[in-house]
Amino acid sequence: MKKILCVCGHENPEGTTLCEKCGSPLSEEEKGRKLADMRYEGTAIRSKTYNKTIIDKIWNFFSSVKVGVSIIIITLVAAAIGTFLPQVIYVSVPENADVKETYADAYGIFGTIYYNLGLTDIYGSWWFQVLIGMLAISIIVASLDRGIPLYKSLKNQRVKRHENFLKRQRIYGAGEMTAAEVDNAFDLTEEKMKEMKYNIRREEGALLAEKGRFARWGPYINHVGLIIFLFGVMLRLMPGFYIDKTLWIREGETMAIPGMEGYYLESEKFVFETYSEDEQKEEFNQSKKAVNAVAKNYQSDVKLFKAPDDAVPGDTSNLTEVKEKAIKVNDPLKHDGYALYQMDFRLNELKTMHFNLTDKKTEKSLGAVAIDLTNPEKEYKVGKDSKVVLKKYYPDFAGFEDGEPQTASPLPNNPAFIFEMYTPETPKGETSFVAIKQPIEPFGENKYAMKFSSVDTRNVSGLTVRKDKTLMILMLGGIIFMLGVTIGSYWSHRRLWLLKTKDGRLLMASHTNKNWFSMKKDLDAVTEYAHLPAYVDQYDEDQKAEEEEKKLKDKEKEGDNTL
Amino acid sequence: MSLIDLSGNLLFVAFVAYLVATLLFGGAVKGGSKGESENAGKKWGSLAIVITIIGFVANLGYFITRWIYAGHAPVSNMFEFTTAFGMFVVGAFILIYFIYRVPSLGLFALPIAIIIIAYASMFPREVNPLIPALKSYWLYVHVITAAIGESILAISAVAGLIYLLKNIDLTKRSKQSFWIEIVMYALVLVLGFVAVTTTFNVTGYEAKFSYVNKDGATQEITYNTPALFGMHQSELLTADKMEPLANTPSIVNAKKLTTVVWSILIGTLLYGLIRLIIRKPIAVVMQPFAKRANSQLMDEIGYRSVLIGFPVFTLGALIFAMIWAQEAWSRFWGWDPKEVWALITWLYYAAFLHLRLSKGWQGKKSAWLAVIGFVIIMFNLVAVNLIIAGLHSYAG
């Protein structure tokens, strides 16, 4: 490895721009600057030093802040485009309909183009994931590239720096003083700066006051937090870390909880409430009637059961109750790392249908039949000598196809039945097709009919079953990020250097990574107390000089005009 | 006086106090510049900040009394949230003022807060009961923290605006002088919206229409402004009211479109009038108020407020938001438009910080970025709530 020799005799690794020991400028670029580039303390940064092999090139690509910011901006724009129309997960596509058609119907040509470009599922697209991946790589590479050298450099800081270093700081002052005055100034500075909570280090003829160095680690800490967070998000793709199931459970039912082995849930009741009128603040409610429709509460009253460890799956004979809970929106049931959320509901689902086996002429009933629509029996005894056989059951009758009745779903939304009715008068049986409001007698006129009498309904709760083992990792990432971003934002790294030169001057220079205004308040205090030489903000001076130059030029121009 | 009346009155007091304080800050800025003693300027300045604080306390009073009355934090609809945002902008200004003590910041920050509160009061002020999804203490924690973060970030835009007014050469035609005038125009447009809404509210304009919605069903809608655009296949039901100039397809909410177009029309008219009276761009008239500001200090305030606001915004708008989303919707992130726009805002300010730290973007570049950041925040508040529908759209 090439070494760079400084005027002070210190050997610096290749790529160093400010001497590690004395702070003198080393590179031509750095020498050309009026003020030292203090961002990474002039330390050798890999990406700025090597650019030969393919690995160097990849490293340099990802460590570049320009590339990082570009990825951020591209991600940002892509994310924004994804909000132009609702994403496909938020669009209710009617059954038997195409997603593309749905977009075309709702949003016209724009919707079609949007769909064809794949923008309706933009966040799930491979290229969006690649963008996030690249962002993660960029964060890691850039942090290692800058963070490690910066850490080393700040850890091994020397107290005594070269005049060339001090002169090239933004805040700089120099004054002639006797040796005694200088010593006195050093002592007073130490005293005052200590009072202001600075750490003081002194060497022969030099002083370094430093405060808040840890603020420089803020950005690197928050990047670690982000990486942990993104890692957690990736982990959800691994089996077992993340469960997301839906459970529809009817009032009175006990069901095995999907994804949650050995646990059963009993639904006692589903409650849906809306606000009543007198719950409204009268003087402020102009639209009182409309408010009646405002939902107040969705709630499933449930009991959670656990089967014994050695139980056969599905065996519900030996359940022990674990918990009783009213699951509400914002108040899930949590147990053993799982959570059950109130997500959806169906009101008044048909539960039981009551029929009477009736003689059509005399309208005399032979007896009642109650059919449990979710669990119908094959045969129902009616009275002593009659029976009804349920030949076929169509829970969600959707019309005929080729003469055959069809069901659209297994949900009892529109039940239809084919009954065979056996009575002493009709021992061979009569067949009847019964759907809501449309009895059909396919084999000629029957003597008996299944007459509808009443129906029982019940509510259904739509619950989401979640287990997310990554939550703790995400939380950890979030906490570390907040910690890093807080110390990086709310604290600043401030330093003051004093140097006694051989020709009898006292030099002072100061640097802070931000909030120069507050730094100057500290400096004003110490300058006055310790009689330090007056300082100037060279950055500001630059601007003033520029402005003056500009004014001069303008005046010259005006002069030209008047001539 | 009932609690809710008291609450309304306190808001009014705050509003007036902010107006008075703005004038006083103007005195503080001008006073220092007219060769009067520096003390005169300082006196104006101290009086101005005292009035601002009185206004802010009254504003807090509004917030607390309304909270007690409603039984939940008043951040659950557009009026409540926007008012709270305006209040926090003043709070953020007070915070920054006590770090840097720059009166010109008040001269620009308070009018922006005033415009925000005026805008807020155009929305229905009724106290709504909470829907189940909002019934959680996370509503207060998440929304209030996010709003505070956004308001501190907004101060950065104010500092940026002052920096730009001072440093852009407005005597020459340039992209920058054009865009700074566009910013002024945009502020006048908001006033246009306020003027339109107030005028038709006072006159009590109401026109009912029936229309066919996206699903083919017939519905009714009430316009509070003369309809420029009608809803899909709309028919006027109220007699003697203006017929729409044109009907729109069903995906367009013509009522909102009408309000927007009215605001632009009246706002532009207002802008034209102002230009006719002052006979120069508004930015040129504002410039002398910014001239006294110290550029370097404004640059630092702009940066500092992003530094202060960014962690608060992250905490409120992303982290608390995720915790609540996990609790309420069973997932911490669902790519809902409002979530996405919070992420966009966050990414934007992350880019801002990286450009500033590593690329050395200071001065004008940084100031423009801060102003654009405020545009994104306002887009988030206005457009995402009112136009882009999503899980958060109940906020409208």
Side-chain angles (χ1 to χ4, degrees), chain A residues 39 106 170 275 284 466, chain B residues 126 130 135 251 296 330 358:
Chain A
R39 258 180 300 156
R170 181 169 156 180
Y275 284 98
F284 261 74
R466 274 290 159 108
Chain B
E126 51 197 69
L130 291 182
K135 279 188 187 168
I251 53 165
Q296 218 195 338
S330 83
S358 297

Side-chain angles (χ1 to χ4, degrees), chain A residues 118-250:
Chain A
L119 302 176
T120 49
D121 186 23
I122 198 167
Y123 310 114
S125 69
W126 64 269
W127 58 269
F128 193 81
Q129 317 252 346
V130 166
L131 269 178
I132 305 285
M134 283 172 70
L135 196 58
I137 297 172
S138 168
I139 291 171
I140 296 171
V141 173
S143 303
L144 292 176
D145 192 53
R146 270 51 164 216
I148 293 172
L150 181 69
Y151 177 78
K152 279 189 191 158
S153 155
L154 283 177
K155 206 171 166 232
N156 303 321
Q157 266 184 102
R158 306 292 170 104
V159 176
K160 196 168 188 172
R161 297 295 180 105
H162 197 272
E163 187 176 340
N164 277 339
F165 176 78
L166 268 59
K167 249 186 354 207
R168 297 170 69 255
Q169 291 301 316
R170 181 169 156 180
I171 285 178
Y172 175 70
E176 292 193 8
M177 280 186 187
T178 64
E181 275 174 337
V182 170
D183 287 342
N184 188 39
F186 270 52
D187 290 341
L188 290 174
T189 302
E190 178 168 356
E191 193 181 311
K192 186 71 186 173
M193 293 302 255
K194 264 191 180 153
E195 198 182 290
M196 291 191 286
K197 305 266 159 55
Y198 280 75
N199 290 318
I200 313 290
R201 283 163 67 196
R202 274 173 83 164
E203 261 175 29
E204 182 47 43
L207 179 145
L208 167 62
E210 191 183 13
K211 184 182 183 178
R213 189 197 288 172
F214 71 101
R216 297 289 284 272
W217 314 138
Y220 304 98
I221 297 172
N222 80 44
H223 283 177
V224 169
L226 281 179
I227 292 301
I228 293 176
F229 186 90
L230 289 175
F231 173 75
V233 172
M234 257 175 55
L235 213 58
R236 329 171 91 221
L237 301 174
M238 303 276 285
F241 275 96
Y242 180 67
I243 286 168
D244 176 15
K245 305 269 183 199
T246 305
L247 171 63
W248 285 96
I249 186 165
R250 301 175 171 96

Side-chain angles (χ1 to χ4, degrees), chain B residues 65-364:
Chain B
T65 45
R66 192 176 169 98
W67 187 330
I68 296 169
Y69 176 80
H72 58 83
V75 288
S76 68
N77 62 27
M78 206 48 187
F79 162 72
E80 291 176 340
F81 179 79
T82 313
T83 307
F85 177 58
M87 176 176 84
F88 291 134
V89 168
V90 177
F93 157 69
I94 294 171
L95 170 79
I96 300 289
Y97 183 86
F98 280 104
I99 301 178
Y100 292 102
R101 297 190 183 268
V102 192
S104 47
L105 199 63
L107 183 60
F108 288 86
L110 288 180
I112 287 186
I114 289 169
I115 290 178
I116 291 171
I117 295 174
Y119 172 77
S121 60
M122 296 302 111
F123 292 91
R125 295 202 199 181
E126 51 197 69
V127 175
N128 304 109
L130 291 182
I131 61 166
L134 290 181
K135 279 188 187 168
S136 166
Y137 60 88
W138 285 107
L139 169 69
Y140 323 144
V141 179
H142 155 63
V143 179
I144 291 174
T145 318
I148 291 175
E150 284 181 348
S151 59
I152 302 171
L153 293 172
I155 295 298
S156 140
V158 174
L161 195 64
I162 298 172
Y163 185 96
L164 291 172
L165 276 175
K166 179 177 173 179
N167 288 291
I168 293 176
D169 185 354
L170 293 173
T171 57
K172 290 178 194 140
R173 270 173 175 270
S174 68
K175 261 189 200 164
Q176 300 208 33
S177 60
F178 171 76
W179 281 106
I180 196 85
E181 190 60 19
I182 291 289
V183 172
M184 299 295 148
Y185 171 66
L187 292 174
V188 176
L189 284 191
V190 182
L191 292 180
F193 171 75
V194 173
V196 167
T197 316
T198 315
T199 311
F200 289 115
N201 266 352
V202 168
T203 55
Y205 189 91
E206 232 177 61
K208 267 192 186 164
F209 291 89
S210 71
Y211 72 101
V212 179
N213 75 3
K214 230 166 41 180
D215 306 320
T218 306
Q219 279 186 310
E220 275 188 20
I221 192 165
T222 308
Y223 278 54
N224 301 104
T225 50
L228 298 173
F229 301 95
M231 303 290 285
H232 187 49
Q233 297 180 9
S234 72
E235 271 172 53
L236 185 60
L237 300 178
T238 320
D240 299 332
K241 299 288 179 190
M242 190 178 129
E243 286 276 3
L245 302 176
N247 275 349
T248 55
S250 59
I251 53 165
V252 177
N253 185 334
K255 185 186 171 186
K256 282 175 183 169
L257 184 67
T258 298
T259 313
V260 169
V261 172
W262 267 115
S263 307
I264 292 175
L265 282 177
I266 300 299
T268 307
L269 202 71
L270 207 63
Y271 179 78
L273 263 173
I274 296 172
R275 287 293 297 264
L276 231 95
I277 295 164
I278 62 175
R279 301 200 157 269
K280 47 190 152 186
I282 298 178
V284 174
V285 178
M286 301 303 285
Q287 194 167 41
F289 291 101
K291 271 293 174 204
R292 291 273 299 173
N294 176 343
S295 300
Q296 218 195 338
L297 191 57
M298 279 305 149
D299 187 54
E300 185 171 322
I301 294 175
Y303 178 37
R304 187 85 183 267
S305 27
V306 173
L307 280 175
I308 299 176
F310 185 70
V312 181
F313 179 79
T314 311
L315 191 66
L318 292 174
I319 295 187
F320 288 162
M322 286 190 211
I323 296 175
W324 188 16
Q326 181 72 33
E327 203 72 9
W329 295 322
S330 83
R331 85 287 183 289
F332 63 90
W333 193 260
W335 298 106
D336 171 70
K338 192 84 183 178
E339 289 174 347
V340 174
W341 275 95
L343 178 68
I344 289 171
T345 312
W346 184 79
L347 285 173
Y348 179 83
Y349 280 100
F352 174 106
L353 290 172
H354 283 92
L355 286 170
R356 182 153 182 133
L357 283 169
S358 297
K359 297 264 119 207
W361 279 32
Q362 298 193 353
K364 279 184 196 166

Side-chain angles (χ1 to χ4, degrees), chain A residues 273-469:
Chain A
E273 290 170 291
T274 53
Y275 284 98
S276 62
E277 278 189 30
D278 47 301
E279 278 174 288
Q280 300 309 303
K281 306 290 179 183
E282 257 177 49
E283 55 271 61
F284 261 74
N285 209 331
Q286 299 149 2
S287 50
K288 222 174 161 190
K289 274 174 201 155
V291 165
N292 261 338
V294 174
K296 185 184 178 187
N297 187 24
Y298 308 106
Q299 174 179 333
S300 299
D301 294 338
V302 298
K303 276 183 183 162
L304 180 70
F305 295 98
K306 192 174 178 0
D309 289 337
D310 53 353
V312 183
D315 176 15
T316 55
S317 53
N318 254 325
L319 298 180
T320 42
E321 186 178 326
V322 181
K323 234 178 226 189
E324 190 173 355
K325 161 114 188 150
I327 302 179
K328 296 180 195 173
V329 178
N330 272 312
D331 189 12
L333 182 156
K334 288 182 184 168
H335 184 73
D336 195 19
Y338 293 86
L340 279 90
Y341 296 88
Q342 176 61 52
M343 294 301 277
D344 209 343
F345 63 94
R346 279 201 302 268
L347 292 180
N348 306 324
E349 189 189 86
L350 302 179
K351 182 191 177 198
T352 316
M353 271 187 141
H354 299 275
F355 293 93
N356 282 317
L357 183 58
T358 315
D359 184 325
K360 277 160 79 180
K361 256 187 206 151
T362 61
E363 301 227 335
K364 227 185 101 190
S365 171
L366 295 183
V369 173
I371 299 173
D372 181 344
L373 294 171
T374 48
N375 200 11
E377 282 165 42
K378 277 192 181 142
E379 214 177 280
Y380 295 88
K381 286 255 176 225
V382 182
K384 267 185 190 163
D385 334 289
S386 305
K387 66 173 180 182
V388 173
V389 176
L390 179 55
K391 281 274 293 226
K392 284 266 170 69
Y393 170 44
Y394 309 95
D396 195 359
F397 176 60
F400 293 93
E401 219 169 83
D402 300 329
E404 272 292 306
Q406 304 291 321
T407 184
S409 72
L411 300 175
N413 294 328
N414 183 24
F417 314 86
I418 294 180
F419 294 119
E420 262 171 14
M421 300 163 286
Y422 297 91
T423 63
E425 279 181 69
T426 56
K428 282 189 180 164
E430 289 176 322
T431 305
S432 166
F433 175 81
V434 179
I436 293 174
K437 285 182 188 163
Q438 54 177 121
I440 294 173
E441 293 167 356
F443 307 121
E445 187 84 356
N446 292 342
K447 190 166 168 30
Y448 286 91
M450 288 290 277
K451 255 193 129 177
F452 172 79
S453 73
S454 69
V455 65
D456 299 340
T457 63
R458 58 181 163 180
N459 300 332
V460 192
S461 304
L463 305 175
T464 288
V465 183
R466 274 290 159 108
K467 178 184 174 175
D468 197 341
K469 275 194 188 167

